[in-house]
């Protein structure tokens, strides 16, 4: 749910922080007070299009921040955050967006800078905004198949997962076949390129670990004279004219002579003897190294040329010899496929033919499941429409047949939602509905059903009750309250029936101070609610009749909410 919203220097809002509760929050106030500005702020916070026009006059930037509490650890938003490298901070998600004077935005999620596209993607998992003339996903033909699948539940989900696993293989093999059947000129170019690359790598006769060995050899060659001098000096100190080993030998002999006199001298004698023989072996090794050492300037050139060759190949084919050899294996495989492509094409075509048989069976099962679910969905939506006094409306999920259906991630079905709102009128695409009042009720009917399946944290209704009154207004109020039993709902309304259903009632008003207009917000408490409802019904003058009616409305709303929460 959206727990807290902070707005600064946005439109006519100077600075405003509001905390929201679970259930239904209704925002009321006079036209122009800034109700829709608050919804605009939420829309921009979730990735909507912004510009410098939103910045309050005289300010440098507009600042928006929202705190969301997500109690479900499996909510889809956490996977989206993980995909873009944003850490999960328990149940808390903080979205922030600053809009500067140039119109550019700085966006953050949990403190990490993100692009506007990522902010929009994450925001879409948290907030669903609906206005009288805006219905987003529900009015998008392409989204209808996903809504139907959500309604169908786990039974269809299992079939869809099996289909997608098979489709993934099908798509991979189709891609390989497309590569094999490219035009002859492209294939000839690829064969020439791959052949050259394989031959160039083979000719180098690279060995794993070779570069490190060459670097060590180069280091030795560059330091040859230093090594020769130091080894010679070391040998001389031990066994040369310095007679270092002779002195140690003399000490060894003297200690051996007295080792049987003093027990302590025996251990010391053995230590000196051990050191003597170790140094003797070291001297012989140094002598052998000196005898074998021979400076070869040509060898240094050979090593440097070899390292230069490896560096050239690394620039072309990989960051290391291991990567170069792996690349060679990959292009060798591609080259073999291209050279033997006729045989490969036949094999691949047969593979695809076989998998299409299985894919068709899985796709048909998906279609059967969807058609069964579509009948249930149609009945459920018409039941909702009846409750909204659209008794004559007919709803159906239309499956569009194509002579040559194309496989995609969702199967082969092309479907969309159709409705007829009047007797004798043919079913038409849902997106073609023109009446604002009908569109609002249709959207509420759909949202009443899909709010249970979509996993959206917060739903915002921006004056979707415009143009209705009487019993329809009461039905809409109850429908919005019903949706609020599954998701947090924020609703801007001018209807007292909707406001009476609120779990939280916020009044938005504006005032002028110092030649500037300010938007203010206050929460309407239980004692004030009847007066505010009366004001919504009759304007500024509150009469005994309207006040009595408001109290009755609140009493009815209380009873209806108890029924909704227990149903």
């Amino acid at each position: 749910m959206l727990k807290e919203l902070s707005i600064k220097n946005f439109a006519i809002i100077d600075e405003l922080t509001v905390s929201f509760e679970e259930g239904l929050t209704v925002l009321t106030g006079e036209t122009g007070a800034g109700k829709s500005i608050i919804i605009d702020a939420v829309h921009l916070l979730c990735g909507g299009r912004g510009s410098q026009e939103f910045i309050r006059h005289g300010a440098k930037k507009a600042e928006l921040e929202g705190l969301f509490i997500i109690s479900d650890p499996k909510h889809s938003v956490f996977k989206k955050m993980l995909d873009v490298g944003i850490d999960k901070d328990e149940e808390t998600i903080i979205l922030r967006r600053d809009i500067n004077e140039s119109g550019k935005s700085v966006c953050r999620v949990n403190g990490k800078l993100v692009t506007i596209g990522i902010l929009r993607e994450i925001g879409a998992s948290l907030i669903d905004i609906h206005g009288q003339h805006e219905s987003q996903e529900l009015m998008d033909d392409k989204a209808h198949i996903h809504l139907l699948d959500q309604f169908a539940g786990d039974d269809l989900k299992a079939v869809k997962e099996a289909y997608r696993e098979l489709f993934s293989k099908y798509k991979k093999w189709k891609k390989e076949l497309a590569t094999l059947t490219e035009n002859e000129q492209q294939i000839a170019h690829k064969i020439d390129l791959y052949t050259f690359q394989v031959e160039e790598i083979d000719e180098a006769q690279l060995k794993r670990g070779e570069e490190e060995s060459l670097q060590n050899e180069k280091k030795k060659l560059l330091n040859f004279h230093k090594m020769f001098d130091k080894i010679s000096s070391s040998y001389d100190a031990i066994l040369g004219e310095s007679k270092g080993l002779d002195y140690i030998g003399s000490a060894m002999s003297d200690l051996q002579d007295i080792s049987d006199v003093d027990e302590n001298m025996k251990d010391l004698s053995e230590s000196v003897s051990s050191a003597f023989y170790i140094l003797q072996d070291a001297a012989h090794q140094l002598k052998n190294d000196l005898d074998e050492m021979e400076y070869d300037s040509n060898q240094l050139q050979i090593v440097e040329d070899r390292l230069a060759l490896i560096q050239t190949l690394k620039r072309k084919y990989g960051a290391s010899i291991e990567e170069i050899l792996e690349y060679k294996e990959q292009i060798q495989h591609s080259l073999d496929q291209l050279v033997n492509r006729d045989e490969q094409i036949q094999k691949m075509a047969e593979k695809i033919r076989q998998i299409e048989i299985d894919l068709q069976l899985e796709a048909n099962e998906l279609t059967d499941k969807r058609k069964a679910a579509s009948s249930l969905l149609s009945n459920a939506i018409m039941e909702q429409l009846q409750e909204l006094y659209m008794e004559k409306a007919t709803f159906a999920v239309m499956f569009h047949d194509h002579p040559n259906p194309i496989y995609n991630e969702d199967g082969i079905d092309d479907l969309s939602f159709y409705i007829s709102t009047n007797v004798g009128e043919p079913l038409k695409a849902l997106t073609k509905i023109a009446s604002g009042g009908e569109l609002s009720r249709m959207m509420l009917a759909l949202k009443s059903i899909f709010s249970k399946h979509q996993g959206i944290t917060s739903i915002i209704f921006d004056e979707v009750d415009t143009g209705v009154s009487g019993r329809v207004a009461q039905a809409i109020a109850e429908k919005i309250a019903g949706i609020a039993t599954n998701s947090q709902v924020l609703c801007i309304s001018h209807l007292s029936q909707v406001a009476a259903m609120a779990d939280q009632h916020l009044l938005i008003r504006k005032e002028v101070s110092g030649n500037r207009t300010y938007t203010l917000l206050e929460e309407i408490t239980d004692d004030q609610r009847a007066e505010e409802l009366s004001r919504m019904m009759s304007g500024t003058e509150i009469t005994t009749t309207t006040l009595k009616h408001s109290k009755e409305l609140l009493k009815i709303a209380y009873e209806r909410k108890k029924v909704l929460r227990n149903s």
Side-chain angles (χ1 to χ4, degrees), residues 302-315:
I302 291 170
V303 170
E304 288 182 333
D305 289 346
R306 182 68 175 168
L307 286 169
L309 173 62
I310 292 172
Q311 195 61 34
T312 299
L313 294 175
K314 283 167 65 176
R315 283 197 297 268

Side-chain angles (χ1 to χ4, degrees), residues 289-564:
D289 289 346
L290 285 170
D291 292 341
E292 291 176 4
M293 286 182 76
E294 181 180 356
Y295 182 69
D296 185 354
S297 60
N298 291 331
Q299 180 61 23
L300 179 59
Q301 187 62 48
I302 291 170
V303 170
E304 288 182 333
D305 289 346
R306 182 68 175 168
L307 286 169
L309 173 62
I310 292 172
Q311 195 61 34
T312 299
L313 294 175
K314 283 167 65 176
R315 283 197 297 268
K316 290 182 178 181
Y317 306 122
S320 65
I321 289 178
E322 286 74 13
E323 288 188 16
I324 293 170
L325 294 174
E326 287 172 6
Y327 176 76
K328 183 249 180 181
E329 290 176 5
Q330 292 172 6
I331 59 172
Q332 183 68 65
H333 173 71
S334 300
L335 181 60
D336 292 342
Q337 282 192 316
L338 291 173
V339 171
N340 304 300
R341 64 187 180 282
D342 290 340
E343 181 182 348
Q344 293 286 338
I345 286 171
Q346 287 183 348
K347 288 182 179 179
M348 191 60 64
E350 180 59 25
K351 269 186 178 181
I352 292 171
R353 192 184 69 82
Q354 290 296 327
I355 201 173
E356 276 182 342
I357 296 172
D358 295 334
L359 204 60
Q360 180 68 55
L361 293 173
E362 294 285 354
N364 287 343
E365 187 173 0
L366 261 181
T367 300
D368 292 342
K369 296 278 186 189
R370 284 182 178 132
K371 286 184 175 179
S374 69
S375 177
L376 296 175
L377 177 62
S378 296
N379 291 334
I381 286 178
M382 284 191 286
E383 182 178 331
Q384 293 286 334
L385 291 175
Q386 286 179 359
E387 293 175 4
L388 290 165
Y389 298 101
M390 291 179 68
E391 302 92 339
K392 308 301 181 183
T394 305
F395 177 91
V397 180
M398 301 294 287
F399 287 76
H400 310 295
D401 294 327
H402 299 286
N404 298 305
I406 299 173
Y407 295 105
N408 58 55
E409 287 193 345
D410 297 313
I412 56 174
D413 295 322
D414 177 18
L415 61 87
S416 53
F417 296 163
Y418 273 59
I419 187 171
S420 169
T421 56
N422 296 296
V423 175
E425 292 293 321
L427 288 164
K428 293 181 181 179
L430 181 61
T431 52
K432 305 298 182 184
I433 296 176
S435 166
E438 289 177 341
L439 184 60
S440 296
R441 282 184 278 172
M442 184 68 220
M443 183 271 293
L444 282 172
L446 288 165
K447 183 54 67 177
S448 296
I449 294 170
F450 290 122
S451 63
K452 302 175 184 178
H453 303 277
Q454 287 178 302
I456 298 294
T457 302
S458 303
I459 301 169
I460 296 177
F461 294 124
D462 186 4
E463 299 190 13
V464 295
D465 50 22
T466 300
V468 297
S469 58
R471 62 175 189 169
V472 175
Q474 183 61 38
I476 285 178
E478 293 181 12
K479 196 61 63 182
I480 292 174
I483 295 169
T485 61
N486 297 305
S487 301
Q488 178 194 42
V489 174
L490 310 179
C491 179
I492 291 178
S493 179
H494 291 286
L495 289 178
S496 56
Q497 293 93 329
V498 175
M501 283 287 189
D503 299 301
Q504 180 185 29
H505 187 162
L506 302 176
L507 174 64
I508 314 294
R509 58 186 177 83
K510 65 180 179 181
E511 67 177 33
V512 178
S513 176
N515 295 322
R516 293 300 303 271
T517 302
Y518 295 87
T519 290
L520 303 176
L521 180 146
E522 64 177 292
E523 185 166 359
I524 302 300
T525 62
D526 290 341
D527 294 338
Q528 301 168 314
R529 290 190 69 188
E531 290 185 9
E532 179 57 27
L533 293 184
S534 297
R535 196 174 290 111
M536 292 176 69
M537 289 184 224
S538 61
T540 55
E541 185 179 347
I542 299 175
T543 65
T544 304
T545 302
T546 56
L547 193 59
K548 181 180 179 182
H549 182 50
S550 296
K551 290 178 180 179
E552 184 66 24
L553 200 58
L554 286 168
K555 183 179 179 181
I556 293 171
Y558 176 77
E559 295 298 327
R560 287 299 302 149
K561 283 198 292 185
K562 282 203 303 185
V563 173
L564 288 170

